Amino acid sequence: MVLTGGLKSLLPHVLRRIIRYNRLSISNTSGMAEGYKQANVVILHKSLADDFEKFCHANEGPLPLLYRSKPGDWKCPSLSIDADIRTDCLQYRIYEHGVCTGSLKSLKEYSEQLQDMVTFYLGCSFSFEKAVQNAGIPIRNVEQKCNVSMYKTAVPCYSISTFCCNLVVTMRPIPESKLEAAVRATSELKAAHGAPIHLGGPGLLGIQDLSKPDYGDPVHLHPGDIPVFWACGVTGVEAVINCRAPLAFTHSPGCMFITDLKNDNITVRSSREVPQVHCVSRDPLHYSIVSTEAAQKIKTLETLIGIDPGDRGIIHLRRQDELLKACLSISHARSVLITTGFPTHFTHEPPEENDGPPGALAIAALLQALEKEVAIVTDQRAVNLNKKIIEEAVQLGILKRPVPLLSYQRESADSALMFLCENGNPGRPRFDHLIAIERAGMAADGNYYNARKVNIKHLVDPIDELFLAAQTIPGVTTTGVGDGGNELGMGKVKDAVKKHIKNGDVIACEDFTVVAGVSNWGGYAIACALYILSTCEIHDRYLRKAVGFPQLSKKMVWLSALPSVTKEEKLLKILVQHGVRSGKTASLEMEVDGLPFYNTHSLMIEKLL
């Protein structure tokens, strides 16, 4: 028997010959033939081959197709010079009508049946291990001398005919400081599954227990390690099981076919192709991926809206990359709740100001285009006013359809939890992300004040409680958008607010704070940033977990949902007609916060676009 020492440096054809004659005392091929591509193997009857190839192309993350043989051909000349697929994997599995009926060291006894069967060679993550190690990142399963961990997820693949299954992933523990390096080391290795499809808590993939993999061995995390998940070719095994073919063969998970192909050399890449990693949630732990190009565009938006036309001192409140992180979090959300409304003009009816609603509707319009659920919660006394504004916004094409309007009242200690979650169960939240834009925020004394320090508590429903309750619900994140006053969402920078903003005082109840010269600008910037993320190929792939097809065909729909000077002009006219006034001057003119719409707000919209 040949033992494992030195196997990583042996050439592939030598290893295949050793495997062919059953002279290895190992259980998997991880770490072998460093720098060469390894392959998952699926062997099906020729009548199923075309559909399985389509299934691979529809799910290229887990099933990157390296080679498809002709029926009865057990060689693969483009992958190796002397291979025989009947003998050159460490171990095989046989499936009959979707049931694994045994493991085999050789398929030679099935040579007759193989005459009518087609072999698919699919990329494998073992191929990228050398690139990861070259980036200074440990491969824990190699260190621990075991197979990689593989898990079934709750993520459905794109189905083709009888081939349908959920995604299978591998997990590798990566030190938190090395996450971005791991993503960059693998992102261009498309034939080896490319970049990870998830970084963080396994529960977000439907994986309940990392110590109990569905395939392979449990791999232990070191202190400071983050579980990182890559799409896995064992997805093909699950597809074989579900299609219930009378006879099929696969490699045994971890026992790959080793090719003569070297891994692709990574060339110098443009900023569009270089990924960044950002944390978007700590409970559960969740990181997102975006291209450097898209991130830079969003940082430019953040700079644009950060000017201070009212000279309020907001430069002291800005935190770098808050817009990017907030929008990455929103892009992962399924359902978003927005609130706005600052009744600063307490002597007028309605008392609302016109900074906030336009930004809220700009966000809602883009979320609708992205096919996310979106609702608005507002004060009970303002529901009818907002309903009319929304109806007219739909008529004018600002919104595609009405946004559901909700109100919130505190009736008991658990009212907020009951509002946010089904039957008050934190495990079943109705919303994944809450956004407050120019919304009156509760001060430390429990009251609500306008910029002149007048108490307006009698006009404000306690919607803050929803944001405070959201902090206790795993998986629910929040964003506050304000221009530096007493808005809900400024609590994250409350020390700076107290120091630099006149009459500044507000409680903290949000994950991300977007500070803008005018709050509407923050709303416009969020809409534009979500569009940028949606058109980022790296982020799109991460969102769909590398299964299915890119969503870029919907680009024109997203583009048409963005705010524009014409749309915002129409919306401001609607607000003026309903008596909604400028915040600073109480004027019923075409202005917001005392700044004229034309040549100020209109110019900002043009710059953001």
Side-chain angles (χ1 to χ4, degrees):
M1 297 289 284
V2 176
L3 300 179
T4 57
L7 290 179
K8 66 180 182 179
S9 60
L10 289 181
L11 291 174
H13 73 276
V14 176
L15 278 168
R16 287 196 303 272
R17 189 172 299 123
I18 295 171
I19 291 170
R20 188 177 303 162
Y21 293 106
N22 196 21
R23 292 179 179 174
L24 278 180
S25 59
I26 59 174
S27 61
N28 65 83
T29 57
S30 177
M32 294 172 61
E34 282 186 344
Y36 287 87
K37 291 179 181 177
Q38 299 193 30
N40 298 269
V41 175
V42 172
I43 305 175
L44 295 163
H45 190 268
K46 61 186 180 183
S47 62
L48 297 170
D50 287 348
D51 281 342
F52 187 74
E53 182 173 350
K54 292 175 184 175
F55 183 70
C56 293
H57 291 316
N59 300 281
E60 288 186 335
L63 303 172
L65 183 57
L66 303 180
Y67 183 76
R68 170 186 168 170
S69 78
K70 295 178 180 178
D73 186 359
W74 36 77
K75 299 188 181 301
C76 48
S78 66
L79 302 183
S80 62
I81 54 174
D82 63 345
D84 185 335
I85 196 55
R86 299 173 301 171
T87 57
D88 290 0
C89 289
L90 274 175
Q91 192 175 66
Y92 304 85
R93 286 186 177 180
I94 179 171
Y95 290 89
E96 297 176 271
H97 301 285
V99 177
C100 181
T101 55
S103 296
L104 307 163
K105 288 288 187 180
S106 168
L107 298 181
K108 277 195 167 183
E109 64 183 283
Y110 291 93
S111 294
E112 184 176 345
Q113 291 92 329
L114 288 170
Q115 292 295 334
D116 289 323
M117 302 184 83
V118 172
T119 302
F120 290 86
Y121 301 79
L122 307 165
C124 171
S125 62
F126 288 175
S127 306
F128 66 52
E129 290 178 340
K130 183 61 176 176
V132 171
Q133 289 173 321
N134 286 345
I137 303 163
I139 303 291
R140 298 294 188 210
N141 68 288
V142 174
E143 288 180 347
Q144 296 169 28
K145 295 181 172 58
C146 64
N147 200 352
V148 71
S149 302
M150 291 163 268
Y151 304 88
K152 301 176 187 178
T153 73
V155 178
C157 290
Y158 189 98
S159 298
I160 298 289
S161 186
T162 58
F163 293 104
C164 60
C165 66
N166 285 357
L167 176 68
V168 176
V169 294
T170 57
M171 187 281 293
R172 290 171 173 81
I174 304 291
E176 187 171 20
S177 62
K178 300 284 189 179
L179 289 179
E180 195 163 86
V183 173
R184 291 184 176 183
T186 58
S187 63
E188 288 301 297
L189 300 176
K190 309 295 187 187
H193 306 301
I197 59 91
H198 180 65
L199 298 85
L204 293 170
L205 294 177
I207 299 168
Q208 301 305 316
D209 189 347
L210 285 181
S211 69
K212 298 177 180 177
D214 296 292
Y215 300 98
D217 301 318
V219 178
H220 303 294
L221 280 72
H222 289 202
D225 281 353
I226 304 297
V228 177
F229 300 86
W230 278 265
C232 176
V234 176
T235 302
V237 175
E238 289 294 305
V240 166
I241 291 170
N242 287 346
C243 86
R244 301 182 185 278
L247 180 66
F249 303 98
T250 71
H251 69 293
S252 285
C255 301
M256 303 302 171
F257 174 81
I258 300 172
T259 79
D260 293 336
L261 301 182
K262 286 194 172 184
N263 284 321
D264 305 318
N265 290 322
I266 300 176
T267 56
V268 176
R269 294 175 285 179
S270 70
S271 61
R272 179 179 298 178
E273 299 167 315
V274 177
Q276 294 183 2
V277 174
H278 295 272
C279 183
V280 295
S281 171
R282 284 289 172 186
D283 184 19
L285 190 60
H286 189 197
Y287 297 81
S288 191
I289 299 177
V290 64
S291 73
T292 296
E293 179 186 62
Q296 187 55 55
K297 287 180 179 178
I298 293 172
K299 290 179 182 181
T300 300
L301 298 179
E302 189 172 54
T303 300
L304 284 173
I305 64 173
I307 63 170
D308 191 0
D311 197 25
R312 302 179 186 181
I314 67 167
I315 190 172
H316 303 288
L317 312 185
R318 288 176 53 194
R319 289 192 172 191
Q320 190 174 5
D321 293 339
E322 287 287 292
L323 177 63
L324 173 61
K325 292 175 184 176
C327 292
L328 284 169
S329 179
I330 295 167
S331 76
H332 284 277
R334 171 191 52 83
S335 180
V336 179
L337 181 68
I338 303 172
T339 186
T340 189
F342 206 127
T344 191
H345 303 304
F346 57 93
T347 62
H348 293 279
E349 180 55 40
E352 268 68 31
E353 65 165 289
N354 58 17
D355 188 17
L361 293 189
I363 297 169
L366 208 286
L367 291 174
Q368 286 183 340
L370 293 174
E371 300 177 11
K372 297 182 185 293
E373 296 177 19
V374 58
I376 291 176
V377 59
T378 190
D379 302 301
Q380 180 63 49
R381 56 163 188 79
V383 167
N384 287 336
L385 170 65
N386 281 280
K387 183 178 180 182
K388 292 174 184 176
I389 292 169
I390 288 172
E391 287 174 350
E392 293 180 39
V394 173
Q395 292 171 7
L396 292 172
I398 297 166
L399 292 170
K400 292 297 183 185
R401 57 186 178 278
V403 180
L405 269 174
L406 309 172
S407 63
Y408 168 76
Q409 297 293 326
R410 188 178 195 274
E411 297 174 352
S412 64
D414 62 351
S415 289
L417 206 58
M418 293 296 292
F419 183 96
L420 293 173
C421 305
E422 294 182 23
N423 300 317
N425 179 3
R428 301 186 67 185
R430 292 190 176 94
F431 308 100
D432 308 303
H433 199 102
L434 278 61
I435 303 172
I437 175 168
E438 191 66 19
R439 170 71 192 176
M442 184 185 292
D445 64 2
N447 291 315
Y448 297 82
Y449 298 95
N450 66 11
R452 298 168 186 83
K453 202 63 175 178
V454 175
N455 190 350
I456 53 173
K457 184 176 182 178
H458 62 290
L459 297 172
V460 182
D461 291 343
I463 290 171
D464 308 67
E465 294 180 2
L466 301 179
F467 284 72
L468 288 167
Q471 303 297 298
T472 70
I473 305 171
V476 178
T477 45
T478 58
T479 295
V481 183
D483 48 26
N486 291 349
E487 299 96 352
L488 173 59
M490 292 295 103
K492 188 173 182 180
V493 291
K494 65 178 181 179
D495 291 338
V497 169
K498 285 182 179 180
K499 183 176 180 181
H500 298 286
I501 305 298
K502 185 179 178 181
N503 298 325
D505 181 21
V506 69
I507 61 172
C509 53
E510 71 292 320
D511 296 296
F512 309 105
T513 296
V514 177
V515 178
V518 177
S519 293
N520 282 341
W521 299 353
Y524 303 152
I526 288 175
C528 292
L530 290 173
Y531 172 79
I532 290 168
L533 291 176
S534 299
T535 54
C536 170
E537 293 181 13
I538 287 175
H539 187 64
D540 168 70
R541 180 186 185 274
Y542 189 71
L543 283 181
R544 57 186 172 83
K545 305 290 184 280
V547 297
F549 298 99
Q551 300 296 299
L552 295 180
S553 60
K554 301 175 182 177
K555 182 176 179 178
M556 294 310 297
V557 175
W558 304 333
L559 193 63
S560 67
L562 285 171
S564 68
V565 172
T566 301
K567 287 180 186 178
E568 299 312 308
E569 180 183 30
K570 290 177 180 178
L571 184 53
L572 187 53
K573 287 179 178 178
I574 292 172
L575 295 175
V576 169
Q577 290 166 5
H578 285 287
V580 181
R581 300 167 183 270
S582 173
K584 191 171 183 180
T585 65
S587 169
L588 278 175
E589 302 295 330
M590 292 293 287
E591 65 172 57
V592 178
D593 274 355
L595 303 169
F597 177 80
Y598 304 106
N599 297 324
T600 299
H601 299 288
S602 61
L603 285 179
M604 177 57 69
I605 295 166
E606 289 175 350
K607 288 178 181 178
L608 291 172
L609 295 174

